[in-house]
Amino acid sequence: MMVIIAEFLVVILKVLWAFVTAGAKWVVRPKEKSVAGQVCVITGAGSGLGRLFAKEFARRRAILVLWDINSQSNEETAEMVREIYRELDSETTMSKDGSVGGVEEVPPFQPQVYTYVCDVGKRESVYSTAEKVRREVGNVDMLINNAGVVSGHHLLECPDELIERTMVVNCHAHFWTTKAFLPKMLEVNHGHIVTVASSLGLFSTAGVEDYCASKFGAIGFHESLSHEIKASDKDGIKMTLVCPYLVDTGMFKGCRIRKEIEPFLPPLKPEFCVTQCMRAILTDQAMICTPRIVYMVNFMKSILPFEAIVCMYRFLGADKCMYPFLAQRKELMNNNEAKEDI
């Protein structure tokens, strides 16, 4: 009995210490780790947040491996990355030319970016592409599971194929990419897996049942995997969960909350979102919600009665915030069908 009590007291002390260290990080910003020369795989790199993540990692001299289903947009991202590499190379050369005798010269920076067409919704494509990466690039140090889709239909109007596609790309693909790259990370006890989820994986709204379910699933997968890695004592492998509020990438174009509230909670600028996420990733932060009010909303959802949540949603205009977006998608599809008929 005394042993249990002693262990319980130790647990309490560790919990309190966790609060102290977490609070300290809000006061003193932790030093960002270097990812120079590390191989970083980014899914969905052809546009949106994936493209911005690629540019940020390129500025930090990482070796980029870009995956996207669209070859053209993926190559456009790669060219942006190469331009960043060229700028870095130019800066390094200037530093070398201006160096004084006796000072160690900085070796020229070699641009390295690889592009692969991969449909993460097909596990065979994921596994075969992962094998190519291992063969052509080497072992992967960082995996950014970013690829995502949205169907844009009310549940009863959504074809089953689109529901399945949303679940597979937004959730199941994380299983496959992780199974492809995690074994080597475990072997060398080094790596970092980032799950780009959504605030809609923490709390939901009407009209996007498939999207919310896929993001809830991705978060559940991430949290369970985090516990598994902790249980295996692999402290060299880090996990970061990214849960942003609505990001202005066009994915949910038309989504609106109450107009009086919107100035205080506007859609996030993609660049701001990625900057915040990069800070969390490079300081090995376990979870990043942006803006920080998302933490509060998630906590309130856990303790308040469901009817209280409904009242808050209605006040904020969040209960039907997706309806304008869904209406726009429906109108766009109808127009496309009309053009095809013509």
Side-chain angles (χ1 to χ4, degrees):
M1 186 64 181
M2 292 300 295
V3 174
I4 294 295
I5 294 174
E7 287 186 6
F8 181 68
L9 292 175
V10 171
V11 168
I12 291 176
L13 290 175
K14 288 183 176 180
V15 169
L16 292 175
W17 180 247
F19 273 103
V20 171
T21 54
K25 290 178 181 178
W26 285 56
V27 179
V28 181
R29 184 179 299 177
K31 182 181 178 181
E32 294 184 355
K33 65 183 180 183
S34 172
V35 293
Q38 296 196 23
V39 178
C40 178
V41 171
I42 303 176
T43 67
S47 61
L49 298 185
R51 174 171 288 179
L52 294 175
F53 272 121
K55 293 167 71 174
E56 288 296 324
F57 277 105
R59 293 186 181 102
R60 290 163 174 83
R61 300 172 181 264
I63 298 171
L64 272 298
V65 179
L66 310 179
W67 287 18
D68 202 275
I69 195 172
N70 187 315
S71 175
Q72 181 178 345
S73 61
N74 206 28
E75 286 298 334
E76 290 172 359
T77 300
E79 187 53 42
M80 295 176 187
V81 167
R82 293 185 187 102
E83 180 59 34
I84 293 172
Y85 284 159
R86 283 191 286 269
E87 292 173 3
L88 292 173
D89 193 23
S90 175
E91 292 173 5
T92 303
T93 303
M94 291 177 62
S95 175
K96 181 179 177 180
D97 293 341
S99 62
V100 183
V103 178
E104 183 179 355
E105 293 184 354
V106 179
F109 179 68
Q110 297 298 325
Q112 297 182 81
V113 56
Y114 303 83
T115 59
Y116 296 88
V117 175
C118 179
D119 182 357
V120 295
K122 297 178 180 177
R123 65 176 181 271
E124 297 83 3
S125 178
V126 170
Y127 292 146
S128 62
T129 307
E131 182 57 36
K132 288 181 183 177
V133 171
R134 283 190 292 268
R135 187 171 60 251
E136 298 172 5
V137 185
N139 296 325
V140 171
D141 300 290
M142 305 194 71
L143 171 61
I144 316 297
N145 280 317
N146 167 77
V149 295
V150 60
S151 65
H153 296 274
H154 287 279
L155 174 62
L156 299 182
E157 299 174 356
C158 188
D160 292 344
E161 294 77 13
L162 288 183
I163 294 174
E164 291 175 345
R165 178 71 178 170
T166 301
M167 294 299 299
V168 168
V169 173
N170 295 359
C171 181
H172 298 177
H174 294 215
F175 288 75
W176 304 328
T177 56
T178 302
K179 287 183 69 177
F181 297 119
L182 181 59
K184 192 62 181 181
M185 292 183 182
L186 291 171
E187 182 182 328
V188 300
N189 192 23
H190 173 76
H192 198 143
I193 298 175
V194 178
T195 299
V196 181
S198 168
S199 60
L200 290 178
L202 299 171
F203 45 84
S204 57
T205 188
V208 282
E209 290 83 358
D210 55 342
Y211 185 82
C212 289
S214 68
K215 292 301 183 179
F216 268 82
I219 290 176
F221 167 75
H222 179 97
E223 291 182 352
S224 180
L225 180 62
S226 298
H227 285 297
E228 182 170 344
I229 290 173
K230 285 289 186 182
S232 62
D233 294 324
K234 297 293 184 179
D235 57 357
I237 300 175
K238 308 301 180 183
M239 302 282 294
T240 299
L241 175 62
V242 176
C243 294
Y245 172 64
L246 182 68
V247 184
D248 190 15
T249 59
M251 191 173 190
F252 289 102
K253 186 177 181 181
C255 175
R256 291 288 181 270
I257 59 173
R258 186 172 177 174
K259 62 181 181 180
E260 294 87 354
I261 303 294
E262 195 168 31
F264 302 98
L265 200 59
L268 298 175
K269 295 295 183 183
E271 294 79 9
F272 170 80
C273 178
V274 170
T275 298
Q276 297 295 309
C277 294
M278 287 297 297
R279 184 180 302 168
I281 294 168
L282 297 176
T283 56
D284 295 331
Q285 187 172 325
M287 180 180 183
I288 170 71
C289 293
T290 181
R292 289 178 175 171
I293 194 174
V294 173
Y295 292 109
M296 184 185 301
V297 176
N298 187 43
F299 175 72
M300 293 175 68
K301 175 211 167 186
S302 302
I303 63 173
L304 292 179
F306 178 71
E307 290 302 325
I309 299 294
V310 171
C311 289
M312 291 179 58
Y313 269 46
R314 288 175 177 169
F315 171 74
L316 296 171
D319 57 333
K320 298 181 180 179
C321 64
M322 289 292 173
Y323 284 21
F325 156 70
L326 296 173
Q328 283 190 16
R329 290 291 287 261
K330 187 173 183 178
E331 182 180 356
L332 181 62
M333 288 190 65
N334 290 339
N335 290 340
N336 289 338
E337 289 175 358
K339 289 179 181 178
E340 290 176 1
D341 291 339
I342 293 174

